[in-house]
Every structure is written in C-alpha cells, then in structure tokens.
C-alpha cells in the first residue's frame, strides 16, 4: 500500500492510467457479479440497497424529466453500465446507441428482460475514445440527446477528454440536449493515482475536477452554441457523504 501523499494529488494535472478503471470493473463483475443490477457505477461497492434505491429515485424525480425524452429522439448514452437508466431511455426513444467499455456490463444489459430492445437499439463495447475513432463519421450529426449518468469523464485525462468532446460535438444535431452527471471536487482538483480504496478494497484511479474546470472543458460545446443551463449538486441530501467530492449535474442545450 502506497503513501497517500503519492496517490492522492491535489491541484496538479496528473495523468492516470485510462484503462485502470476498465480492468477494475471488468474483474469485479466477473469475480463476484454486481452487488445490485441497478447500482450506479460509483456505488457498485455499496452494500446498502437503500442508497442504490435513493440514488435512482432522486434522479428520476429531479433530473431525468429535464432530459425530455420522446419517440422522435435519437439518444447516445455514454457508459450504460448495467442498464440502470438505460431501461428508461430505450422504452421511449425512437433510436438509441449506447456504449460502455466493460464487456461484462454489455452481457448484463443484453440479458435484462426489463430493457426494451428495438431494431433501432444498438449497444457497443467501446470507450468513448474508441467509439469516436471507429464511428464518428457514421454518426455525424446523428444525435439530438446525449446521456451520461454516474461518472465516465473522471477516468479520462484532460487532453484526451477535450479531444473526445470535440469529436462528440460533431455527432450532435443543431438542436440538442446533453445530460451529464459526474463527481466533482468541492474545493480543488483531486487525482487518485492507484489509490487503495477501503470502500472497494482495491487500487483505484480517477480524476475529480472542479466545476470550474468542467466549465472550461465544456467549451467544446459552448463554443458551438450550447448554453450550460444546469450546473449544480445532484442530491438535496448527499447519499455518498464524501468530504472532498460531490455528485454534480450538468445540462447543456442548443
């Protein structure tokens, strides 16, 4: 176990191993299965079923209605996980494309009977970087809704994330809504670099950016006519009760 001063880095822009989270979640899913099929990724080690229920209830009550789904929508979901929110999207959206780089998650989603799968419903095992590299032209100006809930950007380094959002912007229709829920750092940027987490009993790497840093990163959208309509804490009563980070909700619209 490393000294925390070496694995918890404050303020500095330190790059992490982008594949570490993929390996961690894949290994955990294959070894022990999911604690609960509808657990958000950031609660995948939480044995408290009530927390998992409250997380989704809060999202469905407070934020998901702002996504404004209809049968006319073509939705791109980034990081579908085990399908916690996917089931509420595919049942309504006219077309759906979802990606996740953890292969066992795809197997779970495909096996779920409560997730409606139409001919226009497509799932890919791919990171955002991989999907953009292979499908950017295929889905040029294709989507009018983007959905990300739980945390994906926290596992992507800054330079790569900015490139991803530039590429993602090319896949969006002139009228579009982007829904992003990510953990943020409360006071200053926090990077966990192979940090041993007592919660998940394993090494963990992630980047907790501040809200201000995300505002800068979202210039990939705002420079293209999007407005940041929502940027605030996700929970009225924080379920995770972390001292240095909060779950945040961003909604951008053009």
């Amino acid at each position: 176990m490393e000294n925390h001063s070496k694995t918890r880095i404050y303020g500095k822009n330190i790059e992490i191993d982008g594949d570490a989270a993929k390996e961690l979640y894949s290994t955990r899913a294959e070894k022990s299965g999911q604690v609960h099929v509808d657990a958000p990724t950031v609660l995948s080690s939480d044995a408290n079923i009530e927390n998992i229920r409250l997380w989704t209830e809060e999202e469905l009550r407070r934020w998901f209605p702002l996504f404004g789904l209809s049968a006319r929508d073509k939705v791109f979901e980034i990081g579908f996980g085990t399908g916690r929110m996917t089931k509420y999207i595919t049942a309504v959206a006219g077309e759906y494309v979802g990606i996740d780089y953890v292969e066992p998650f795809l197997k779970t989603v495909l096996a779920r009977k409560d997730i409606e799968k139409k001919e226009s419903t497509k799932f890919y095992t791919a990171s955002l970087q991989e999907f953009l590299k292979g499908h950017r032209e295929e889905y040029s100006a294709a989507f009018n809704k983007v959905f990300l809930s739980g945390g994906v950007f926290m596992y992507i380094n800054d330079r790569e994330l900015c490139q991803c959002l530039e590429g993602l912007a090319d896949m969006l229709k002139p009228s579009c809504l982007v829904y992003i829920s990510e953990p943020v750092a409360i006071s200053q940027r926090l990077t966990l670099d192979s940090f041993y987490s007592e919660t998940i009993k394993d090494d963990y790497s992630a980047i907790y950016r501040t809200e201000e840093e995300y505002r800068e990163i979202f210039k990939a959208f705002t420079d293209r006519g999007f407005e940041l309509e929502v940027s605030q804490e996700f929970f009225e009563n924080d379920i995770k009760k972390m001292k240095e980070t909060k779950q945040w909700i961003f909604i951008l619209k053009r």
Side-chain angles (χ1 to χ4, degrees):
M1 193 184 304
E2 294 184 65
N3 186 295
H4 283 189
S5 64
K6 294 181 180 179
T7 58
R8 296 178 68 91
I9 301 101
Y10 294 92
K12 297 179 182 179
N13 189 334
I14 303 296
E15 291 199 347
I16 61 171
D17 178 358
D19 290 327
K22 175 182 178 180
E23 294 168 3
L24 173 65
Y25 289 122
S26 295
T27 300
R28 290 174 62 81
E30 289 170 352
K31 280 185 177 180
S32 59
Q34 298 302 310
V35 171
H36 188 284
V37 73
D38 280 334
T41 302
V42 291
L43 286 182
S44 61
S45 300
D46 198 327
N48 189 334
I49 300 300
E50 181 67 6
N51 280 353
I52 294 167
R53 184 185 65 79
L54 288 173
W55 182 296
T56 301
E57 279 190 1
E58 179 81 355
E59 185 156 19
L60 289 173
R61 178 188 68 82
R62 192 176 182 193
W63 302 119
F64 192 67
L66 300 183
F67 196 49
L69 268 182
S70 78
R72 299 185 300 274
D73 292 328
K74 186 164 185 175
V75 178
F76 180 48
E77 183 176 16
I78 304 171
F80 54 73
T82 54
R84 179 183 66 92
M85 295 299 294
T86 306
K87 63 182 176 182
Y88 300 106
I89 299 173
T90 62
V92 179
E95 296 183 60
Y96 169 94
V97 174
I99 63 170
D100 201 295
Y101 66 178
V102 179
E103 189 170 354
F105 288 171
L106 175 62
K107 294 177 182 177
T108 297
V109 165
L110 292 179
R112 290 187 65 164
K113 303 299 184 184
D114 59 343
I115 295 178
E116 186 174 338
K117 303 170 186 76
K118 310 166 188 172
E119 286 187 14
S120 58
T121 302
K122 297 180 181 179
F123 297 99
Y124 294 86
T125 299
S127 65
L128 180 56
Q129 301 94 307
E130 291 166 342
F131 185 81
L132 288 168
K133 186 176 181 179
H135 300 277
R136 183 169 174 176
E137 291 185 8
E138 177 185 353
Y139 290 105
S140 177
F143 303 105
N144 72 313
K145 296 280 175 72
V146 177
F147 189 83
L148 186 166
S149 181
V152 172
F153 294 166
M154 62 195 293
Y155 304 123
I156 306 176
N157 291 306
D158 282 22
R159 183 182 300 179
E160 203 168 16
L161 179 56
C162 288
Q163 291 172 348
C164 283
L165 296 192
E166 292 283 345
L168 177 58
D170 289 341
M171 297 197 303
L172 307 183
K173 290 180 179 292
S175 179
C176 184
L177 185 144
V178 180
Y179 176 115
I180 298 168
S181 171
E182 280 280 332
V184 303
I186 298 170
S187 59
Q188 60 177 323
R189 181 189 183 100
L190 168 62
T191 302
L192 304 182
D193 186 16
S194 297
F195 172 77
Y196 184 80
S197 168
E198 291 292 343
T199 303
I200 64 175
K201 306 299 181 186
D202 210 331
D203 287 344
Y204 184 74
S205 296
I207 301 169
Y208 298 91
R209 301 175 178 90
T210 63
E211 183 207 6
E212 290 75 16
E213 286 178 299
Y214 272 114
R215 285 178 179 269
E216 185 67 23
I217 287 170
F218 290 151
K219 282 186 175 180
F221 297 132
T222 56
D223 285 351
R224 288 172 170 79
F226 282 85
E227 292 188 7
L228 183 59
E229 293 197 340
V230 175
S231 178
Q232 65 186 84
E233 192 172 345
F234 190 85
F235 298 108
E236 290 177 354
N237 297 302
D238 187 8
I239 290 171
K240 294 192 73 182
K241 295 181 173 60
M242 304 299 286
K243 294 180 180 179
E244 298 176 303
T245 63
K246 294 280 188 183
Q247 192 71 17
W248 214 257
I249 179 76
F250 301 98
I251 296 178
L252 300 105
K253 190 174 182 180
R254 179 171 65 186

